[in-house]
Amino acid sequence: MNAAQLRNMVVTALMDKTDAQSRVYSPRDWSTRSEDYPCILVQTPFDHKKSLGRNVPQFHTITTVRVTGRIEEFDNETDYGAERAELALEALREQIERAVINSYELTRVVQQYAEIRSQIDIDASGESHMAQLLMDIDIEYYQGPEDFYPIEPHPLDGIDVTIAMPEHTPEPHISINLE
């Protein structure tokens, strides 16, 4: 498994399981517009591999899956759009956590969800309240030799051996057949 496969699995886990319904995008240009909301954008900006030892490509890998949820709310006569935007993002955060953590396809291939961080931001600088949820999910999994392309060795054509002997000693006679 690698970061791209993990990202695709998270997209699949989120599809039709949140208020964003099928508006879960990855990879995609990050600009969005009113008809896209609510929507979820998924990317994997960080990938950290920690070796399990020398000579064999084995790693504990932690990939940070960044899930960005976006919504837009307008003020009306009875309440403020900012309140509805924050409540909607809090609900979206819960839906995302449940969809990812409860995904059987994900949990069967990962070691753990190491950490989940989230942040909500609401901007009222335009005519609407643009709200964004930024959630980073650190997912740990194992990567071994099977996850990397096989190393293609160069064929051994010969070996040069030089033996330095002190003066006035018999020369050693060594014969090595490589065939």
Side-chain angles (χ1 to χ4, degrees):
M1 177 157 52
N2 60 33
Q5 292 168 326
L6 186 64
R7 177 180 45 78
N8 287 328
M9 293 173 82
V10 169
V11 168
T12 301
L14 292 171
M15 196 66 69
D16 295 317
K17 302 254 182 6
T18 67
D19 290 339
Q21 299 172 349
S22 64
R23 291 180 302 275
V24 180
Y25 307 110
S26 181
R28 178 199 158 126
D29 188 345
W30 296 110
S31 62
T32 53
R33 49 191 195 278
S34 290
E35 54 268 12
D36 294 329
Y37 301 126
C39 69
I40 295 175
L41 309 169
V42 181
Q43 67 184 98
T44 51
F46 305 108
D47 195 45
H48 179 81
K49 294 176 182 3
K50 185 168 182 173
S51 177
L52 295 175
R54 292 181 168 81
N55 301 323
V56 179
Q58 293 179 322
F59 300 94
H60 278 299
T61 302
I62 295 181
T63 297
T64 300
V65 178
R66 178 164 291 158
V67 180
T68 305
R70 293 182 179 166
I71 64 164
E72 179 181 41
E73 291 289 345
F74 292 90
D75 291 336
N76 62 28
E77 302 82 38
T78 58
D79 60 0
Y80 296 105
E83 291 174 26
R84 287 196 323 275
E86 187 161 352
L87 292 172
L89 283 183
E90 287 173 343
L92 189 61
R93 174 172 42 203
E94 290 295 320
Q95 294 165 0
I96 291 168
E97 284 179 2
R98 288 182 181 166
V100 171
I101 291 171
N102 291 327
S103 167
Y104 174 73
E105 293 303 316
L106 273 168
T107 55
R108 70 183 186 88
V109 296
V110 304
Q111 292 176 317
Q112 69 171 330
Y113 298 100
E115 190 173 358
I116 298 175
R117 297 170 304 283
S118 64
Q119 171 181 328
I120 289 177
D121 182 43
I122 300 172
D123 181 12
S125 60
E127 62 184 53
S128 66
H129 297 276
M130 298 299 300
Q132 178 168 286
L133 165 70
L134 187 64
M135 180 180 282
D136 286 338
I137 305 170
D138 291 340
I139 301 176
E140 181 181 321
Y141 54 97
Y142 169 80
Q143 283 186 302
E146 65 279 0
D147 292 309
F148 301 95
Y149 293 111
I151 298 171
E152 301 200 15
H154 297 289
L156 182 61
D157 295 329
I159 297 176
D160 293 330
V161 178
T162 304
I163 300 175
M165 299 296 291
E167 284 188 42
H168 308 296
T169 58
E171 282 188 30
H173 293 283
I174 297 175
S175 174
I176 300 174
N177 187 359
L178 295 175
E179 296 180 61

